[in-house]
Amino acid sequence: MNITRNNVDALNAIITVEVSKADYAPQVDKVLKSYLKTASIPGFRKGAVPFGMIQKQYGKAVLLEEVNKVLQENLNRYLQQEKLDILGNPLPKITEDFNWDAEDYKFEFELGLTPTFDIDLGVVKNLTQYKIVADDKMLEDQVARIRKQYGKMLSKDTVEKDDDISGTFLNIDKGIDSPAQITLDVFKDKKTGDKFLGKKVGDIVTVNTKGLFDDDHKLMEYLKVGHDDVHGLAIDVDFKIEEITMSEPAELNQELFDKLFGPGNVSSVDDIKAKIKEDAEKQFATQADQKFLNDVTESLLTNTKFDLPSTFLKKWIQTAGQAPLTPQQAEEEFAKSENGLRYQLIEGKIMSQNNLQITFEDLKAYTAEVIKKQMAQFGQMNPTDSDVEGIVARVLSNQEEVKRLSDQVMSEKMLHLFKDKINSKTKEVTYQEFIAASYGE
């Protein structure tokens, strides 16, 4: 067998594989002879079919299968030996007049080669690492939420500002008869909520659906109308008040503290706020890190220039899925996936240039921490090492979980690298300021 490569350009190559009869004939002969024992052909006893007949009936199919095996094995071995870094898989070039009756064959494959480029983290500039703090207002709001959540529900006769109202949205002509529970701050316009103030059980408040909520999905949810009917809907609906309740806030006493945080762990409102602040800022740090990682990714994609074997990749995409795609569909799929592919290559280059690797010990340690956090959420604050190790072993026996957790470990390593290598400014913000900076809201 002879395999040669012709580099068309820096991103494309043609591999030619020449298969001679000596490469496949022994295996074809071996398979056909095995058929002698099992072949069942009318007019012949089982095991007594002439070899020539076996060859005539099964020869071509066995030939195709064995040539393909030899071809794939040797092509894969060649790619490994030559250490060719390719994108997608080799694509066979179709030859319309291919002659399977010949004894020697020549096959050609198109390759898409990985581009050569270097990563300069110095191109990433003007980025901000946010430090999100839980401000006093957030802490006060959280304490108020806790008091309401663990308070007593009391029935009332008249609607006031912070009450919970149960009732039914009605419009007979449109077939709307939808039970709902609302608070007055659910409405987009404060004037709409004010219409309910002072109303009693049995009263009806009429509102218009146009701009009633800040999101049409809420209109769908509260009125039980379909997606196609909700956009631009501007009708009057009646809300019949059926029940008014208020939450009498729970007392901030040791009984509540123990219920929330375990006996003796918290003994004052200041302790609660400190606990809330600690937990919230841990979650905020994760969100801030993710934004920084996203910003670095976007900057690298913008500033790291290299070409891809686009024509090859579009042809490969046509055949890579379960169902073949048209050229237009492949073009659209490539457009959607191009940035993802580019960042995979950038990430791989960063890992290579900075010797970032994941050891099994890294994976075990990370998985153990994830498990401990999950157990803590269910009240298991001090699991034994043997319990954790047993769960880690079960988790890491699942290859999909290993892949998912490995991606997370590498993401953390990349984040630490970026924080260390990339010049950025640190800015302390509240959560609302972070949201505004991230999403413009």
Side-chain angles (χ1 to χ4, degrees):
M1 180 171 296
N2 185 38
I3 303 179
T4 57
R5 181 175 82 250
N6 173 37
N7 290 330
V8 178
D9 53 38
L11 296 173
N12 295 276
I14 300 292
I15 283 187
T16 302
V17 184
E18 297 179 73
V19 180
S20 68
K21 184 175 182 180
D23 296 318
Y24 63 83
Q27 190 60 26
V28 170
D29 192 57
K30 179 180 178 182
V31 172
L32 290 176
K33 285 180 177 177
S34 72
Y35 283 15
L36 285 171
K37 301 175 183 178
T38 58
S40 178
I41 296 178
F44 296 92
R45 287 182 294 104
K46 192 171 184 178
V49 181
F51 184 74
M53 187 164 288
I54 294 286
Q55 195 169 32
K56 182 178 180 180
Q57 184 154 341
Y58 300 108
K60 182 60 69 70
V62 172
L63 171 69
L64 295 177
E65 183 175 353
E66 295 306 318
V67 168
N68 186 59
K69 284 182 183 178
V70 169
L71 180 63
Q72 293 301 325
E73 287 172 5
N74 285 274
L75 178 59
N76 291 336
R77 187 181 302 118
Y78 175 83
L79 294 176
Q80 292 172 5
Q81 290 172 346
E82 294 293 309
K83 296 182 171 58
L84 286 179
D85 201 356
I86 65 174
L87 298 175
N89 292 315
L91 279 180
K93 294 187 72 174
I94 305 302
T95 304
E96 297 295 339
D97 58 349
F98 193 87
N99 182 15
W100 280 104
D101 292 326
E103 292 187 342
D104 298 332
Y105 309 107
K106 181 187 289 186
F107 302 92
E108 291 185 330
F109 294 86
E110 298 178 63
L111 297 184
L113 305 178
T114 299
T116 301
F117 63 96
D118 289 317
I119 295 292
D120 178 11
L121 294 179
V123 301
V124 182
K125 299 177 180 178
N126 303 320
L127 294 191
T128 299
Q129 289 189 55
Y130 289 98
K131 184 180 187 309
I132 310 171
V133 296
D135 60 343
D136 290 341
K137 182 180 184 306
M138 171 178 280
L139 298 179
E140 292 288 351
D141 288 346
Q142 286 293 92
V143 171
R145 183 190 62 77
I146 289 171
R147 293 187 68 192
K148 181 176 181 179
Q149 180 180 351
Y150 290 91
K152 296 178 181 178
M153 296 302 295
L154 303 175
S155 293
K156 295 183 58 183
D157 294 326
T158 304
V159 176
E160 294 182 271
K161 180 182 176 183
D162 295 322
D163 292 343
D164 296 303
I165 308 167
S166 297
T168 305
F169 282 107
L170 299 163
N171 182 303
I172 296 174
D173 292 340
K174 296 293 183 179
I176 295 172
D177 185 349
S178 180
Q181 290 184 313
I182 62 170
T183 53
L184 300 188
D185 59 1
V186 75
F187 300 114
K188 183 178 180 180
D189 187 352
K190 180 179 179 296
K191 292 180 180 179
T192 303
D194 289 346
K195 288 184 177 183
F196 288 79
L197 296 175
K199 299 298 183 182
K200 300 181 181 298
V201 172
D203 286 349
I204 291 176
V205 180
T206 301
V207 296
N208 193 276
T209 58
K210 185 176 182 180
L212 186 59
F213 304 110
D214 58 6
D215 186 341
D216 281 345
H217 289 90
K218 289 182 181 177
L219 199 61
M220 293 168 56
E221 177 185 344
Y222 280 110
L223 301 189
K224 303 297 188 294
V225 293
H227 184 275
D228 295 335
D229 300 324
V230 74
H231 295 296
L233 186 66
I235 60 171
D236 286 339
V237 292
D238 294 331
F239 186 88
K240 184 178 180 181
I241 299 173
E242 295 162 358
E243 185 179 19
I244 306 165
T245 57
M246 66 168 286
S247 175
E248 182 179 69
E251 289 186 34
L252 293 171
N253 54 28
Q254 194 61 47
E255 181 183 356
L256 179 62
F257 300 158
D258 291 347
K259 186 175 183 179
L260 291 172
F261 302 105
N265 290 321
V266 166
S267 59
S268 69
V269 175
D270 286 342
D271 286 348
I272 287 183
K273 289 182 178 179
K275 192 75 174 172
I276 293 171
K277 183 177 178 67
E278 179 186 359
D279 292 345
E281 290 182 354
K282 283 181 182 177
Q283 294 181 27
F284 294 161
T286 301
Q287 294 183 54
D289 284 346
Q290 187 60 55
K291 174 167 174 52
F292 182 65
L293 198 57
N294 292 345
D295 290 344
V296 173
T297 299
E298 186 175 340
S299 180
L300 286 171
L301 281 169
T302 300
N303 293 290
T304 306
K305 305 297 183 183
F306 55 84
D307 292 327
L308 291 171
S310 303
T311 301
F312 168 84
L313 288 170
K314 291 169 189 175
K315 288 173 66 175
W316 175 71
I317 287 171
Q318 284 186 255
T319 62
Q322 291 184 342
L325 302 181
T326 65
Q328 178 62 33
Q329 289 172 325
E331 183 89 32
E332 293 169 357
E333 191 63 33
F334 177 75
K336 288 189 290 185
S337 60
E338 182 179 359
N339 270 354
L341 173 58
R342 286 183 178 277
Y343 190 68
Q344 282 182 22
L345 295 174
I346 290 171
E347 187 177 56
K349 184 65 70 172
I350 291 171
M351 290 163 59
S352 174
Q353 288 183 191
N354 294 276
N355 196 30
L356 294 183
Q357 299 176 346
I358 300 174
T359 67
F360 188 63
E361 291 305 313
D362 289 336
L363 192 56
K364 281 175 62 179
Y366 180 83
T367 305
E369 286 304 309
V370 170
I371 288 166
K372 287 177 184 177
K373 289 177 183 177
Q374 291 175 343
M375 294 176 79
Q377 291 176 352
F378 292 96
Q380 294 176 266
M381 306 304 293
N382 298 297
T384 65
D385 290 343
S386 60
D387 285 343
V388 174
E389 288 171 5
I391 299 172
V392 168
R394 287 198 297 274
V395 170
L396 296 184
S397 67
N398 183 318
Q399 289 304 307
E400 290 184 5
E401 282 297 294
V402 169
K403 173 66 169 64
R404 183 180 67 84
L405 291 165
S406 296
D407 288 344
Q408 292 176 8
V409 173
M410 183 52 68
S411 182
E412 282 200 352
K413 287 179 178 285
M414 297 284 279
L415 177 65
H416 293 152
L417 176 74
F418 293 155
K419 285 185 174 182
D420 182 50
K421 299 285 188 182
I422 291 174
N423 290 324
S424 60
K425 63 180 181 180
T426 300
K427 185 176 182 180
E428 189 172 288
V429 294
T430 66
Y431 186 68
Q432 289 304 318
E433 289 169 338
F434 174 74
I435 293 298
S438 301
Y439 308 106
E441 296 178 5

